[in-house]
mmCIF file of all heavy atoms in Angstrom:
data_model
loop_
_atom_site.group_PDB
_atom_site.id
_atom_site.type_symbol
_atom_site.label_atom_id
_atom_site.label_comp_id
_atom_site.label_asym_id
_atom_site.label_seq_id
_atom_site.Cartn_x
_atom_site.Cartn_y
_atom_site.Cartn_z
ATOM 1 N N ARG T 234 69.451 14.602 -5.233
ATOM 2 C CA ARG T 234 70.592 14.651 -6.184
ATOM 3 C C ARG T 234 70.933 15.980 -6.746
ATOM 4 O O ARG T 234 71.975 16.278 -7.362
ATOM 5 C CB ARG T 234 70.291 13.694 -7.342
ATOM 6 C CG ARG T 234 70.248 12.288 -6.875
ATOM 7 C CD ARG T 234 70.141 11.377 -8.148
ATOM 8 N NE ARG T 234 70.042 9.914 -7.813
ATOM 9 C CZ ARG T 234 69.897 8.985 -8.654
ATOM 10 N NH1 ARG T 234 70.027 9.148 -9.958
ATOM 11 N NH2 ARG T 234 69.782 7.732 -8.184
ATOM 12 N N PHE T 235 70.017 16.981 -6.477
ATOM 13 C CA PHE T 235 70.354 18.343 -6.966
ATOM 14 C C PHE T 235 70.763 19.299 -5.794
ATOM 15 O O PHE T 235 70.716 18.999 -4.625
ATOM 16 C CB PHE T 235 68.890 18.845 -7.507
ATOM 17 C CG PHE T 235 68.358 18.030 -8.695
ATOM 18 C CD1 PHE T 235 67.481 17.117 -8.589
ATOM 19 C CD2 PHE T 235 68.946 18.263 -9.905
ATOM 20 C CE1 PHE T 235 66.939 16.321 -9.474
ATOM 21 C CE2 PHE T 235 68.449 17.493 -10.990
ATOM 22 C CZ PHE T 235 67.522 16.527 -10.857
ATOM 23 N N ASN T 236 71.414 20.393 -6.319
ATOM 24 C CA ASN T 236 71.963 21.358 -5.402
ATOM 25 C C ASN T 236 71.008 22.139 -4.779
ATOM 26 O O ASN T 236 69.737 22.063 -5.065
ATOM 27 C CB ASN T 236 73.038 22.209 -6.124
ATOM 28 C CG ASN T 236 72.408 23.055 -7.236
ATOM 29 O OD1 ASN T 236 71.116 23.288 -7.251
ATOM 30 N ND2 ASN T 236 73.068 23.664 -8.088
ATOM 31 N N ALA T 237 71.393 23.043 -3.767
ATOM 32 C CA ALA T 237 70.357 23.791 -2.901
ATOM 33 C C ALA T 237 69.502 24.791 -3.740
ATOM 34 O O ALA T 237 68.419 24.916 -3.513
ATOM 35 C CB ALA T 237 71.210 24.630 -1.878
ATOM 36 N N ALA T 238 70.091 25.297 -4.764
ATOM 37 C CA ALA T 238 69.434 26.310 -5.607
ATOM 38 C C ALA T 238 68.269 25.646 -6.411
ATOM 39 O O ALA T 238 67.136 26.135 -6.439
ATOM 40 C CB ALA T 238 70.324 27.060 -6.703
ATOM 41 N N THR T 239 68.648 24.404 -6.925
ATOM 42 C CA THR T 239 67.484 23.677 -7.686
ATOM 43 C C THR T 239 66.450 23.208 -6.753
ATOM 44 O O THR T 239 65.278 23.289 -6.867
ATOM 45 C CB THR T 239 68.139 22.455 -8.340
ATOM 46 O OG1 THR T 239 69.083 22.795 -9.271
ATOM 47 C CG2 THR T 239 67.063 21.627 -8.980
ATOM 48 N N ARG T 240 66.761 22.832 -5.438
ATOM 49 C CA ARG T 240 65.716 22.521 -4.332
ATOM 50 C C ARG T 240 64.928 23.761 -4.115
ATOM 51 O O ARG T 240 63.636 23.501 -3.963
ATOM 52 C CB ARG T 240 66.484 21.951 -3.239
ATOM 53 C CG ARG T 240 67.163 20.534 -3.493
ATOM 54 C CD ARG T 240 67.476 19.883 -2.210
ATOM 55 N NE ARG T 240 68.296 20.552 -1.269
ATOM 56 C CZ ARG T 240 69.656 20.499 -1.394
ATOM 57 N NH1 ARG T 240 70.265 19.711 -2.254
ATOM 58 N NH2 ARG T 240 70.431 21.001 -0.617
ATOM 59 N N GLN T 241 65.465 24.778 -4.048
ATOM 60 C CA GLN T 241 64.805 26.153 -3.741
ATOM 61 C C GLN T 241 63.774 26.295 -4.861
ATOM 62 O O GLN T 241 62.496 26.633 -4.650
ATOM 63 C CB GLN T 241 65.638 27.325 -3.675
ATOM 64 C CG GLN T 241 66.475 27.297 -2.362
ATOM 65 C CD GLN T 241 65.680 27.868 -1.179
ATOM 66 O OE1 GLN T 241 64.441 27.868 -1.224
ATOM 67 N NE2 GLN T 241 66.337 28.092 -0.075
ATOM 68 N N MET T 242 64.171 26.006 -6.180
ATOM 69 C CA MET T 242 63.260 26.358 -7.343
ATOM 70 C C MET T 242 62.149 25.337 -7.227
ATOM 71 O O MET T 242 61.001 25.654 -7.640
ATOM 72 C CB MET T 242 64.053 26.121 -8.554
ATOM 73 C CG MET T 242 65.174 27.238 -8.836
ATOM 74 S SD MET T 242 64.507 28.816 -8.824
ATOM 75 C CE MET T 242 65.252 29.462 -7.309
ATOM 76 N N VAL T 243 62.393 24.112 -6.855
ATOM 77 C CA VAL T 243 61.336 23.007 -6.756
ATOM 78 C C VAL T 243 60.480 23.408 -5.668
ATOM 79 O O VAL T 243 59.113 23.279 -5.910
ATOM 80 C CB VAL T 243 61.987 21.770 -6.383
ATOM 81 C CG1 VAL T 243 60.860 20.715 -6.125
ATOM 82 C CG2 VAL T 243 62.823 21.171 -7.694
ATOM 83 N N ALA T 244 60.833 23.977 -4.580
ATOM 84 C CA ALA T 244 59.941 24.469 -3.461
ATOM 85 C C ALA T 244 59.014 25.522 -3.959
ATOM 86 O O ALA T 244 57.817 25.677 -3.594
ATOM 87 C CB ALA T 244 60.747 24.969 -2.232
ATOM 88 N N ILE T 245 59.684 26.476 -4.805
ATOM 89 C CA ILE T 245 58.849 27.552 -5.283
ATOM 90 C C ILE T 245 57.758 27.009 -6.347
ATOM 91 O O ILE T 245 56.655 27.466 -6.347
ATOM 92 C CB ILE T 245 59.811 28.689 -5.949
ATOM 93 C CG1 ILE T 245 60.678 29.335 -4.861
ATOM 94 C CG2 ILE T 245 58.918 29.716 -6.728
ATOM 95 C CD1 ILE T 245 61.706 30.223 -5.330
ATOM 96 N N ALA T 246 58.366 26.088 -7.156
ATOM 97 C CA ALA T 246 57.384 25.460 -8.141
ATOM 98 C C ALA T 246 56.186 24.819 -7.417
ATOM 99 O O ALA T 246 55.089 24.918 -7.869
ATOM 100 C CB ALA T 246 58.174 24.430 -8.975
ATOM 101 N N ARG T 247 56.497 24.202 -6.324
ATOM 102 C CA ARG T 247 55.421 23.505 -5.605
ATOM 103 C C ARG T 247 54.442 24.702 -5.065
ATOM 104 O O ARG T 247 53.123 24.536 -5.079
ATOM 105 C CB ARG T 247 56.013 22.833 -4.323
ATOM 106 C CG ARG T 247 54.896 22.295 -3.433
ATOM 107 C CD ARG T 247 55.599 21.443 -2.360
ATOM 108 N NE ARG T 247 54.650 21.089 -1.245
ATOM 109 C CZ ARG T 247 53.768 20.116 -1.291
ATOM 110 N NH1 ARG T 247 53.691 19.393 -2.364
ATOM 111 N NH2 ARG T 247 52.840 19.895 -0.376
ATOM 112 N N ALA T 248 55.028 25.843 -4.673
ATOM 113 C CA ALA T 248 54.114 26.885 -4.220
ATOM 114 C C ALA T 248 53.245 27.442 -5.297
ATOM 115 O O ALA T 248 52.067 27.728 -5.025
ATOM 116 C CB ALA T 248 54.898 28.017 -3.509
ATOM 117 N N LEU T 249 53.874 27.557 -6.323
ATOM 118 C CA LEU T 249 53.038 27.957 -7.570
ATOM 119 C C LEU T 249 52.050 27.050 -8.039
ATOM 120 O O LEU T 249 50.945 27.374 -8.619
ATOM 121 C CB LEU T 249 53.941 28.429 -8.689
ATOM 122 C CG LEU T 249 54.904 29.608 -8.386
ATOM 123 C CD1 LEU T 249 55.670 29.901 -9.697
ATOM 124 C CD2 LEU T 249 54.172 30.895 -8.096
ATOM 125 N N SER T 250 52.358 25.769 -7.927
ATOM 126 C CA SER T 250 51.346 24.722 -8.399
ATOM 127 C C SER T 250 50.110 24.792 -7.424
ATOM 128 O O SER T 250 49.181 24.174 -7.764
ATOM 129 C CB SER T 250 52.057 23.233 -8.279
ATOM 130 O OG SER T 250 52.227 22.954 -6.889
ATOM 131 N N MET T 251 50.374 25.330 -6.183
ATOM 132 C CA MET T 251 49.244 25.474 -5.279
ATOM 133 C C MET T 251 48.469 26.910 -5.679
ATOM 134 O O MET T 251 47.605 27.288 -4.922
ATOM 135 C CB MET T 251 49.686 25.594 -3.812
ATOM 136 C CG MET T 251 50.425 24.339 -3.419
ATOM 137 S SD MET T 251 50.971 24.710 -1.683
ATOM 138 C CE MET T 251 51.988 23.250 -1.449
ATOM 139 N N ARG T 252 48.963 27.527 -6.697
ATOM 140 C CA ARG T 252 48.342 28.903 -7.046
ATOM 141 C C ARG T 252 48.552 29.861 -5.931
ATOM 142 O O ARG T 252 47.612 30.571 -5.520
ATOM 143 C CB ARG T 252 46.902 28.787 -7.549
ATOM 144 C CG ARG T 252 46.732 27.821 -8.660
ATOM 145 C CD ARG T 252 45.334 27.829 -9.061
ATOM 146 N NE ARG T 252 45.141 26.970 -10.243
ATOM 147 C CZ ARG T 252 43.945 26.676 -10.864
ATOM 148 N NH1 ARG T 252 42.828 27.150 -10.353
ATOM 149 N NH2 ARG T 252 43.942 25.857 -11.863
ATOM 150 N N ALA T 253 49.807 29.941 -5.393
ATOM 151 C CA ALA T 253 50.090 30.829 -4.302
ATOM 152 C C ALA T 253 49.964 32.272 -4.710
ATOM 153 O O ALA T 253 50.410 32.654 -5.703
ATOM 154 C CB ALA T 253 51.522 30.462 -3.769
ATOM 155 N N ARG T 254 49.326 33.022 -3.943
ATOM 156 C CA ARG T 254 49.401 34.487 -4.091
ATOM 157 C C ARG T 254 50.384 35.228 -3.318
ATOM 158 O O ARG T 254 50.796 36.377 -3.424
ATOM 159 C CB ARG T 254 48.003 35.107 -3.804
ATOM 160 C CG ARG T 254 46.911 34.661 -4.863
ATOM 161 C CD ARG T 254 45.592 35.248 -4.406
ATOM 162 N NE ARG T 254 44.976 34.568 -3.322
ATOM 163 C CZ ARG T 254 43.766 35.025 -2.716
ATOM 164 N NH1 ARG T 254 43.332 36.255 -3.308
ATOM 165 N NH2 ARG T 254 43.407 34.450 -1.654
ATOM 166 N N LEU T 255 50.813 34.666 -2.316
ATOM 167 C CA LEU T 255 51.859 35.056 -1.240
ATOM 168 C C LEU T 255 52.866 34.003 -1.072
ATOM 169 O O LEU T 255 52.444 32.961 -0.556
ATOM 170 C CB LEU T 255 51.282 35.712 0.009
ATOM 171 C CG LEU T 255 52.417 35.957 1.107
ATOM 172 C CD1 LEU T 255 53.270 37.177 0.650
ATOM 173 C CD2 LEU T 255 51.655 36.201 2.455
ATOM 174 N N VAL T 256 54.240 34.199 -1.244
ATOM 175 C CA VAL T 256 55.241 33.282 -1.137
ATOM 176 C C VAL T 256 56.062 33.897 0.126
ATOM 177 O O VAL T 256 56.631 34.852 -0.117
ATOM 178 C CB VAL T 256 56.031 32.961 -2.225
ATOM 179 C CG1 VAL T 256 57.157 31.923 -1.833
ATOM 180 C CG2 VAL T 256 55.203 32.389 -3.364
ATOM 181 N N ILE T 257 56.243 33.165 1.177
ATOM 182 C CA ILE T 257 57.025 33.497 2.288
ATOM 183 C C ILE T 257 58.320 32.945 2.198
ATOM 184 O O ILE T 257 58.411 31.548 2.266
ATOM 185 C CB ILE T 257 56.387 33.332 3.599
ATOM 186 C CG1 ILE T 257 55.021 34.018 3.773
ATOM 187 C CG2 ILE T 257 57.184 33.673 4.840
ATOM 188 C CD1 ILE T 257 54.082 33.448 5.028
ATOM 189 N N MET T 258 59.411 33.649 2.074
ATOM 190 C CA MET T 258 60.753 33.026 2.036
ATOM 191 C C MET T 258 61.435 33.325 3.338
ATOM 192 O O MET T 258 61.946 34.439 3.498
ATOM 193 C CB MET T 258 61.556 33.646 0.832
ATOM 194 C CG MET T 258 60.887 33.188 -0.509
ATOM 195 S SD MET T 258 61.773 33.727 -1.979
ATOM 196 C CE MET T 258 60.826 33.089 -3.289
ATOM 197 N N ASP T 259 61.786 32.320 4.122
ATOM 198 C CA ASP T 259 62.369 32.526 5.386
ATOM 199 C C ASP T 259 63.813 32.084 5.308
ATOM 200 O O ASP T 259 64.162 30.934 5.380
ATOM 201 C CB ASP T 259 61.582 31.631 6.502
ATOM 202 C CG ASP T 259 62.028 31.936 7.814
ATOM 203 O OD1 ASP T 259 63.032 32.781 8.005
ATOM 204 O OD2 ASP T 259 61.465 31.400 8.778
ATOM 205 N N GLU T 260 64.751 33.123 5.155
ATOM 206 C CA GLU T 260 66.189 32.776 5.141
ATOM 207 C C GLU T 260 66.473 31.766 4.106
ATOM 208 O O GLU T 260 67.358 30.915 4.101
ATOM 209 C CB GLU T 260 66.692 32.310 6.512
ATOM 210 C CG GLU T 260 66.600 33.239 7.632
ATOM 211 C CD GLU T 260 67.564 34.336 7.505
ATOM 212 O OE1 GLU T 260 68.487 34.366 6.628
ATOM 213 O OE2 GLU T 260 67.396 35.357 8.336
ATOM 214 N N SER T 261 65.832 32.027 2.917
ATOM 215 C CA SER T 261 65.886 31.085 1.773
ATOM 216 C C SER T 261 67.279 31.116 0.998
ATOM 217 O O SER T 261 67.808 30.169 0.194
ATOM 218 C CB SER T 261 64.811 31.336 0.784
ATOM 219 O OG SER T 261 63.621 31.081 1.295
ATOM 220 N N THR T 262 68.163 32.185 1.381
ATOM 221 C CA THR T 262 69.466 32.298 0.555
ATOM 222 C C THR T 262 70.587 31.732 1.524
ATOM 223 O O THR T 262 71.671 31.764 1.031
ATOM 224 C CB THR T 262 69.782 33.666 0.277
ATOM 225 O OG1 THR T 262 69.850 34.548 1.471
ATOM 226 C CG2 THR T 262 68.518 34.326 -0.629
ATOM 227 N N SER T 263 70.288 31.195 2.711
ATOM 228 C CA SER T 263 71.354 30.913 3.651
ATOM 229 C C SER T 263 72.320 29.963 3.151
ATOM 230 O O SER T 263 73.505 29.842 3.443
ATOM 231 C CB SER T 263 70.792 30.600 5.051
ATOM 232 O OG SER T 263 70.084 29.429 4.909
ATOM 233 N N SER T 264 71.751 28.946 2.326
ATOM 234 C CA SER T 264 72.609 27.868 1.887
ATOM 235 C C SER T 264 73.026 27.951 0.458
ATOM 236 O O SER T 264 73.533 27.033 -0.206
ATOM 237 C CB SER T 264 71.918 26.540 2.116
ATOM 238 O OG SER T 264 70.579 26.469 1.388
ATOM 239 N N LEU T 265 72.735 29.143 -0.113
ATOM 240 C CA LEU T 265 73.059 29.362 -1.626
ATOM 241 C C LEU T 265 74.404 30.173 -1.807
ATOM 242 O O LEU T 265 74.772 30.948 -1.023
ATOM 243 C CB LEU T 265 71.906 30.131 -2.253
ATOM 244 C CG LEU T 265 70.489 29.461 -2.136
ATOM 245 C CD1 LEU T 265 69.592 30.325 -2.864
ATOM 246 C CD2 LEU T 265 70.438 28.200 -2.564
ATOM 247 N N ASP T 266 75.076 29.789 -2.832
ATOM 248 C CA ASP T 266 76.229 30.733 -3.195
ATOM 249 C C ASP T 266 75.694 31.892 -4.098
ATOM 250 O O ASP T 266 74.487 32.082 -4.393
ATOM 251 C CB ASP T 266 77.285 29.846 -4.068
ATOM 252 C CG ASP T 266 76.737 29.349 -5.374
ATOM 253 O OD1 ASP T 266 75.881 30.019 -6.002
ATOM 254 O OD2 ASP T 266 77.251 28.316 -5.939
ATOM 255 N N GLU T 267 76.636 32.681 -4.390
ATOM 256 C CA GLU T 267 76.231 34.053 -4.950
ATOM 257 C C GLU T 267 75.479 33.904 -6.325
ATOM 258 O O GLU T 267 74.458 34.567 -6.523
ATOM 259 C CB GLU T 267 77.464 34.976 -5.065
ATOM 260 C CG GLU T 267 78.006 35.457 -3.797
ATOM 261 C CD GLU T 267 79.167 36.492 -3.950
ATOM 262 O OE1 GLU T 267 79.305 36.922 -5.076
ATOM 263 O OE2 GLU T 267 79.857 36.762 -3.040
ATOM 264 N N ARG T 268 75.975 32.943 -7.099
ATOM 265 C CA ARG T 268 75.299 32.765 -8.359
ATOM 266 C C ARG T 268 73.940 32.218 -8.186
ATOM 267 O O ARG T 268 72.962 32.616 -8.816
ATOM 268 C CB ARG T 268 76.268 31.684 -9.230
ATOM 269 C CG ARG T 268 75.453 31.398 -10.603
ATOM 270 C CD ARG T 268 76.298 30.403 -11.354
ATOM 271 N NE ARG T 268 76.488 29.213 -10.524
ATOM 272 C CZ ARG T 268 75.560 28.259 -10.357
ATOM 273 N NH1 ARG T 268 74.374 28.354 -11.167
ATOM 274 N NH2 ARG T 268 75.804 27.222 -9.633
ATOM 275 N N GLU T 269 73.768 31.345 -7.223
ATOM 276 C CA GLU T 269 72.412 30.756 -6.948
ATOM 277 C C GLU T 269 71.523 31.753 -6.303
ATOM 278 O O GLU T 269 70.326 31.776 -6.624
ATOM 279 C CB GLU T 269 72.586 29.492 -6.002
ATOM 280 C CG GLU T 269 73.358 28.370 -6.637
ATOM 281 C CD GLU T 269 73.709 27.279 -5.622
ATOM 282 O OE1 GLU T 269 73.867 27.653 -4.415
ATOM 283 O OE2 GLU T 269 73.876 26.126 -6.015
ATOM 284 N N VAL T 270 72.054 32.745 -5.563
ATOM 285 C CA VAL T 270 71.234 33.740 -5.075
ATOM 286 C C VAL T 270 70.651 34.615 -6.176
ATOM 287 O O VAL T 270 69.466 35.010 -6.111
ATOM 288 C CB VAL T 270 72.014 34.662 -4.044
ATOM 289 C CG1 VAL T 270 71.332 35.929 -3.687
ATOM 290 C CG2 VAL T 270 72.292 33.817 -2.868
ATOM 291 N N GLU T 271 71.498 34.906 -7.229
ATOM 292 C CA GLU T 271 70.981 35.770 -8.256
ATOM 293 C C GLU T 271 69.907 35.009 -9.007
ATOM 294 O O GLU T 271 68.980 35.706 -9.504
ATOM 295 C CB GLU T 271 72.249 36.019 -9.167
ATOM 296 C CG GLU T 271 73.140 37.200 -8.759
ATOM 297 C CD GLU T 271 72.221 38.443 -8.428
ATOM 298 O OE1 GLU T 271 71.487 38.758 -9.331
ATOM 299 O OE2 GLU T 271 72.450 39.149 -7.324
ATOM 300 N N THR T 272 69.994 33.627 -9.135
ATOM 301 C CA THR T 272 69.024 32.855 -9.809
ATOM 302 C C THR T 272 67.677 33.009 -9.012
ATOM 303 O O THR T 272 66.625 33.240 -9.514
ATOM 304 C CB THR T 272 69.438 31.377 -9.939
ATOM 305 O OG1 THR T 272 70.601 31.232 -10.670
ATOM 306 C CG2 THR T 272 68.375 30.549 -10.490
ATOM 307 N N LEU T 273 67.753 32.821 -7.656
ATOM 308 C CA LEU T 273 66.647 33.020 -6.855
ATOM 309 C C LEU T 273 65.995 34.413 -6.976
ATOM 310 O O LEU T 273 64.847 34.552 -7.129
ATOM 311 C CB LEU T 273 67.035 32.696 -5.375
ATOM 312 C CG LEU T 273 65.936 32.911 -4.345
ATOM 313 C CD1 LEU T 273 64.751 31.934 -4.737
ATOM 314 C CD2 LEU T 273 66.423 32.761 -2.985
ATOM 315 N N PHE T 274 66.832 35.356 -6.939
ATOM 316 C CA PHE T 274 66.347 36.886 -7.177
ATOM 317 C C PHE T 274 65.728 37.020 -8.456
ATOM 318 O O PHE T 274 64.632 37.637 -8.524
ATOM 319 C CB PHE T 274 67.497 37.899 -7.048
ATOM 320 C CG PHE T 274 67.956 38.013 -5.581
ATOM 321 C CD1 PHE T 274 69.022 38.927 -5.228
ATOM 322 C CD2 PHE T 274 67.372 37.269 -4.533
ATOM 323 C CE1 PHE T 274 69.399 39.037 -4.010
ATOM 324 C CE2 PHE T 274 67.799 37.468 -3.262
ATOM 325 C CZ PHE T 274 68.868 38.347 -2.882
ATOM 326 N N ALA T 275 66.245 36.397 -9.533
ATOM 327 C CA ALA T 275 65.560 36.638 -10.835
ATOM 328 C C ALA T 275 64.110 35.913 -10.814
ATOM 329 O O ALA T 275 63.139 36.473 -11.416
ATOM 330 C CB ALA T 275 66.465 35.905 -11.906
ATOM 331 N N THR T 276 64.081 34.840 -10.072
ATOM 332 C CA THR T 276 62.809 34.077 -9.863
ATOM 333 C C THR T 276 61.835 34.923 -9.054
ATOM 334 O O THR T 276 60.657 35.056 -9.504
ATOM 335 C CB THR T 276 63.020 32.650 -9.097
ATOM 336 O OG1 THR T 276 63.933 32.026 -9.930
ATOM 337 C CG2 THR T 276 61.730 32.090 -9.078
ATOM 338 N N ILE T 277 62.294 35.592 -8.131
ATOM 339 C CA ILE T 277 61.478 36.517 -7.241
ATOM 340 C C ILE T 277 60.934 37.528 -8.240
ATOM 341 O O ILE T 277 59.637 37.955 -8.149
ATOM 342 C CB ILE T 277 62.302 37.066 -6.108
ATOM 343 C CG1 ILE T 277 62.494 36.013 -5.136
ATOM 344 C CG2 ILE T 277 61.414 38.182 -5.389
ATOM 345 C CD1 ILE T 277 63.317 36.385 -3.891
ATOM 346 N N ARG T 278 61.776 38.190 -8.983
ATOM 347 C CA ARG T 278 61.167 39.286 -9.897
ATOM 348 C C ARG T 278 60.299 38.775 -10.920
ATOM 349 O O ARG T 278 59.207 39.366 -11.166
ATOM 350 C CB ARG T 278 62.511 39.838 -10.522
ATOM 351 C CG ARG T 278 63.389 40.614 -9.670
ATOM 352 C CD ARG T 278 64.612 41.357 -10.346
ATOM 353 N NE ARG T 278 65.592 41.812 -9.406
ATOM 354 C CZ ARG T 278 66.811 41.304 -9.098
ATOM 355 N NH1 ARG T 278 67.090 40.193 -9.623
ATOM 356 N NH2 ARG T 278 67.518 41.847 -8.146
ATOM 357 N N LYS T 279 60.476 37.489 -11.361
ATOM 358 C CA LYS T 279 59.433 36.927 -12.272
ATOM 359 C C LYS T 279 58.102 36.752 -11.497
ATOM 360 O O LYS T 279 57.082 37.049 -12.054
ATOM 361 C CB LYS T 279 60.039 35.620 -12.708
ATOM 362 C CG LYS T 279 59.036 34.966 -13.686
ATOM 363 C CD LYS T 279 59.602 33.587 -14.205
ATOM 364 C CE LYS T 279 58.572 32.939 -15.017
ATOM 365 N NZ LYS T 279 58.071 33.608 -16.197
ATOM 366 N N LEU T 280 58.093 36.322 -10.275
ATOM 367 C CA LEU T 280 56.854 36.030 -9.557
ATOM 368 C C LEU T 280 56.155 37.373 -9.264
ATOM 369 O O LEU T 280 55.007 37.433 -9.533
ATOM 370 C CB LEU T 280 57.254 35.502 -8.101
ATOM 371 C CG LEU T 280 57.791 33.940 -8.086
ATOM 372 C CD1 LEU T 280 58.167 33.637 -6.637
ATOM 373 C CD2 LEU T 280 56.759 33.037 -8.665
#
């Protein structure tokens, strides 16, 4: 029921719940609009 950006955040949250030390993002922005990309980039900087 959620948009692509939220699904990306959920995928990242799943990775962090595994205590990930390396997150591989393979073309993760391809389905996001510009605002959603900025949200993803802010998340990357936080990580």
Side-chain angles (χ1 to χ4, degrees):
R234 295 188 181 180
F235 297 97
N236 62 19
T239 300
R240 295 196 297 271
Q241 289 282 10
M242 296 303 110
V243 172
I245 294 173
R247 175 176 169 81
L249 292 184
S250 72
M251 302 176 189
R252 298 182 180 178
R254 292 182 287 170
L255 171 66
V256 177
I257 302 171
M258 296 186 177
D259 190 357
E260 296 289 351
S261 295
T262 65
S263 61
S264 59
L265 306 183
D266 62 30
E267 291 186 13
R268 180 183 56 81
E269 292 169 339
V270 169
E271 282 305 315
T272 300
L273 178 63
F274 285 179
T276 301
I277 290 174
R278 295 182 184 107
K279 178 177 175 60
L280 291 175

